[in-house]
Amino acid sequence: MQQVLRLPVSRTEVIDAPDVIRQAEAFRSQRKPSVTPAKFETRGLPLVIRDLRKAFGDNEVLRGVDLEIPAGQFVAIVGQSGCGKSTLLRLIAGLDKPTSGTISFGDAEARAEDIRVMFQEPRLLPWARVLSNVEVGLGRDRKAAGAHERARQALEEVGLAEKRDQWPSVLSGGQKQRVALARALVSGPRLLAFDEPLGALDALTRIAMQRLLERVWADQTFTAILVTHDVAEAVALADRVLVIENGRIAEDITVDLPRPRQRGSAELAALEGSILGQLLGPGPTG
Amino acid sequence: MSLIESLPKVRKLTVPKADGLLPWLVPLAILLIWQAASVAGLVSPRVLPAPSDVARAGWKLLWSGELGRNIWVSFWRASIGFLIGGSIGFAFGLANGLSQLSSKLTDTTLQMIRNVPHLALIPLVILWFGIDESAKLFLVALGVFFPVYLNTLHGIRTVDPQLIEMGRVYGMTDGELFRRVIFPGALPSIFVGLRFALGIMWLTLIVAETIAASSGLGYMAMQAREFMQIDVVVLSILIYALLGKVADSASRLLERLTLSWHPAFSKH
Ligand SMILES: Nc1ncnc2c1ncn2[C@@H]1O[C@H](COP(=O)(O)OP(=O)(O)OP(=O)(O)O)[C@@H](O)[C@H]1O
Ligand SMILES: [Mg+2]
């Protein structure tokens, strides 16, 4: 079932711009004075999933997922706790093997460095400086020339260039997640999967991080798959929201609102309400 | 706000460098009280000689070269025994932490041996090696082995599995995973083992030297007892305390150097 919600847009200017965003924007404008690339110029990997099933013993978690994600799309996955969102993500990232079904990345051959995952926890190495933590993300290119420079650039991208020589233990929760984001970005992935990466952050940091994610995605044009508990976050960021229920994709909602989207706008709220209604089951209004 | 900010500065001004001296205040006070008590005749020199007498005895032994030689012999035995026992313990700890097979094969046996107090083996060891050097080295190595083994094993087993998964996701090879994730993760626990082992090292050596040796600090103390030289006995005991402190400081320094990432060890 595919349903398209096209809603009018009133005002879309950014009402607050935390330091992170300002720095990052300044950096971006100085590096890329040209306009943002058009959608068809994406480097992202397309994703095709056919009749994907995954069972843990008797517990059949995914019961036939069919999904096509065009290259460069930003997809959010929502669903009740335990419905198999993380499982689906782990299968896509190759951390687990499916019971049956196929996952393919268009006709291109995906390298390990092309697909990256960001977890709910930052998972930084406490004994490595921030910069070497980012270098971990280069995979086999770690020893190649220019590894340092690439890591430094990724750090700059998330607005943490000045923290390069710090230990992770002195960073705040949001800063740690930004380092983890830089580590995921540094190899120039073509598909980035996020498993509730902002779940542990406070509301303000969360919004700043969401903006950062959106900007980085627009900048680097990878395919993004974001698992989240937060429907507001899903509609604010994604081109498309998938609702998982009973091991299948129950709803596939296209969010056709221009970016940057204004948080708290009536359109977003309406969309969020309708998706929440789906998640919570048939309410009094049907 | 401004008051709170100024607090650390004030503290730094009033107590400069005192932090480094503070730990020595109590030993120094004890020494002074002891000396005063001896001078005042409160303590009979047959029970406890005055610190000045002990110092004099130490000076004499130092000049004759006897003290230096005995300290050197003990130090040599301690280090070699520690090196042997420590490396074997570390190797077994690594093997059993990383390999299920190795762990199944050897862990039960090692746990059984662990429950035998190693000093109980002294009679057997003397029968095997006589009062040869190898007897002392064997005992020290055996005593050092277990704390190093147990803590290395524990350290490796408790490395955060999420970090290991992260390393795999980012394409680390087994070697890199060990070097960059598992070993650094196990290091704090390995150091705990090391410090335990240092304590056991001195204990074992002194006991072994007291019972079966013809040189070393333990032997020196035993000889002095035979000749009723109580000042030398006390001197030996003080040297043990000092050597123990030196070993502990060395391991702390090493810890500080290698664990500077750890909030508990970072210098402020
Ligand atoms: N390794 C595993 N072994 C056995 N069962 C598992 C395993 N991983 C997940 N499951 C089961 O699969 C189901 C889906 O888990 P999953 O983690 O994908 O849920 P989720 O949608 O991510 O939930 P949440 O929103 O709470 O993170 C759960 O019932 C869970 O118990
Ligand atoms: Mg989950």
Side-chain angles (χ1 to χ4, degrees):
Chain A
M1 187 199 318
Q2 171 123 2
Q3 106 196 39
V4 179
L5 294 183
R6 201 175 281 274
L7 293 161
V9 181
S10 48
R11 257 180 46 223
T12 56
E13 65 182 68
V14 184
I15 41 174
D16 62 327
D19 263 3
V20 194
I21 307 296
R22 262 204 300 274
Q23 282 167 20
E25 264 165 7
F27 168 69
R28 182 180 158 205
S29 60
Q30 126 207 350
R31 214 184 49 166
K32 276 191 194 162
S34 61
V35 290
T36 40
K39 265 278 163 310
F40 48 81
E41 280 179 35
T42 179
R43 303 186 307 113
L45 275 180
L47 177 70
V48 179
I49 294 178
R50 291 274 173 255
D51 196 32
L52 185 70
R53 287 165 192 277
K54 176 72 183 175
F56 296 103
D58 288 343
N59 181 9
E60 198 176 22
V61 180
L62 298 178
R63 306 171 187 170
V65 172
D66 280 291
L67 177 62
E68 273 180 42
I69 300 180
Q73 197 170 46
F74 199 133
V75 176
I77 299 177
V78 296
Q80 279 170 359
S81 183
C83 71
K85 302 183 297 288
S86 298
T87 305
L88 177 60
L89 212 67
R90 294 175 63 85
L91 291 175
I92 293 173
L95 294 177
D96 262 332
K97 295 272 163 281
T99 310
S100 70
T102 60
I103 299 174
S104 58
F105 302 96
D107 35 86
E109 190 62 35
R111 301 174 310 141
E113 287 84 8
D114 285 339
I115 299 163
R116 286 294 185 227
V117 202
M118 204 174 144
F119 304 97
Q120 179 166 0
E121 323 78 28
R123 302 199 187 182
L124 303 178
L125 298 174
W127 41 84
R129 306 265 178 191
V130 165
L131 193 73
S132 4
N133 262 296
V134 176
E135 278 170 26
V136 166
L138 286 167
R140 270 165 291 159
D141 292 348
R142 206 161 19 235
K143 286 170 207 104
H148 250 56
E149 184 52 28
R150 284 173 74 185
R152 207 191 49 72
Q153 261 178 20
L155 262 184
E156 206 159 332
E157 186 90 13
V158 300
L160 282 181
E162 79 281 11
K163 300 279 187 205
R164 49 180 290 178
D165 294 324
Q166 302 279 8
W167 297 116
S169 61
V170 306
L171 302 182
S172 71
Q175 289 174 331
K176 282 182 192 154
Q177 251 339 356
R178 273 149 69 194
V179 174
L181 178 62
R183 180 179 63 192
L185 288 174
V186 70
S187 64
R190 299 170 63 197
L191 187 147
L192 199 47
F194 303 93
D195 194 352
E196 298 181 43
L198 315 182
L201 302 179
D202 65 273
L204 280 177
T205 315
R206 228 180 135 102
I207 292 177
M209 278 296 284
Q210 287 171 6
R211 296 235 162 103
L212 181 63
L213 278 189
E214 189 176 18
R215 187 188 61 65
V216 163
W217 166 76
D219 206 28
Q220 307 217 346
T221 68
F222 46 82
T223 307
I225 304 176
L226 170 73
V227 163
T228 178
H229 267 133
D230 183 352
V231 179
E233 178 171 294
V235 294
L237 290 177
D239 295 322
R240 183 177 169 199
V241 179
L242 305 175
V243 179
I244 297 191
E245 240 173 52
N246 301 321
R248 288 194 188 82
I249 292 174
E251 293 291 331
D252 186 338
I253 302 147
T254 302
V255 185
D256 201 2
L257 296 173
R259 301 169 188 271
R261 294 176 184 158
Q262 194 196 355
R263 217 153 286 278
S265 74
E267 298 88 345
L268 286 185
L271 198 52
E272 183 187 340
S274 85
I275 295 175
L276 270 177
Q278 282 289 344
L279 280 175
L280 298 174
T285 52
Chain B
M1 180 76 172
S2 63
L3 177 69
I4 290 170
E5 273 170 358
S6 68
L7 271 179
K9 279 181 211 149
V10 171
R11 209 181 293 143
K12 251 177 214 153
L13 276 178
T14 49
V15 201
K17 285 269 168 199
D19 265 14
L21 300 176
L22 220 53
W24 295 100
L25 212 59
V26 175
L28 204 70
I30 292 176
L31 221 57
L32 285 178
I33 293 170
W34 174 10
Q35 177 75 32
S38 298
V39 171
L42 292 173
V43 188
S44 151
R46 288 175 174 221
V47 177
L48 198 61
S52 52
D53 292 341
V54 175
R56 207 171 300 124
W59 189 245
K60 240 175 31 215
L61 283 173
L62 195 66
W63 267 110
S64 72
E66 206 179 325
L67 185 62
R69 201 172 55 246
N70 281 324
I71 289 182
W72 170 248
V73 166
S74 290
F75 177 77
W76 181 84
R77 284 174 188 151
S79 339
I80 302 292
F82 185 86
L83 226 62
I84 296 173
S87 1
I88 300 177
F90 183 64
F92 268 100
L94 285 190
N96 291 1
L98 296 172
S99 148
Q100 286 286 324
L101 179 69
S102 167
S103 167
K104 283 207 181 105
L105 213 58
T106 59
D107 192 54
T108 311
T109 313
L110 291 175
Q111 297 293 347
M112 256 156 42
I113 301 176
R114 181 171 77 97
N115 287 313
V116 180
H118 68 294
L119 292 177
L121 296 182
I122 289 183
L124 190 62
V125 169
I126 294 180
L127 282 179
W128 284 347
F129 300 101
I131 59 167
D132 204 20
E133 282 311 305
S134 33
K136 267 89 66 183
L137 295 187
F138 178 82
L139 281 171
V140 171
L142 191 65
V144 161
F145 173 87
F146 285 104
V148 173
Y149 167 69
L150 289 174
N151 286 284
T152 305
L153 183 63
H154 175 261
I156 287 183
R157 291 230 170 121
T158 52
V159 172
D160 186 354
Q162 294 191 332
L163 285 183
I164 296 178
E165 188 187 55
M166 186 280 297
R168 289 240 149 82
V169 170
Y170 282 106
M172 289 188 188
T173 60
D174 283 352
E176 275 179 309
L177 202 63
F178 176 74
R179 243 181 317 111
R180 305 203 51 170
V181 182
I182 297 174
F183 181 69
L187 207 52
S189 176
I190 294 176
F191 271 115
V192 171
L194 216 62
R195 305 230 333 242
F196 264 112
L198 284 176
I200 291 186
M201 170 187 86
W202 285 121
L203 176 80
T204 313
L205 186 66
I206 296 311
V207 172
E209 281 183 348
T210 321
I211 295 172
S214 52
S215 60
L217 280 171
Y219 171 76
M220 188 176 91
M222 272 325 269
Q223 286 293 102
R225 186 198 58 101
E226 301 237 317
F227 297 113
M228 295 297 281
Q229 294 168 314
I230 194 160
D231 46 359
V232 177
V233 174
V234 173
L235 177 73
S236 319
I237 293 171
L238 288 181
I239 292 176
Y240 299 154
L242 222 59
L243 286 179
K245 173 70 190 152
V246 167
D248 197 57
S249 299
S251 73
R252 264 172 204 265
L253 183 71
L254 206 63
E255 216 169 33
R256 205 184 284 256
L257 287 179
T258 51
L259 299 184
S260 51
W261 55 269
H262 203 292
F265 296 101
S266 64
K267 38 195 179 319
H268 34 90

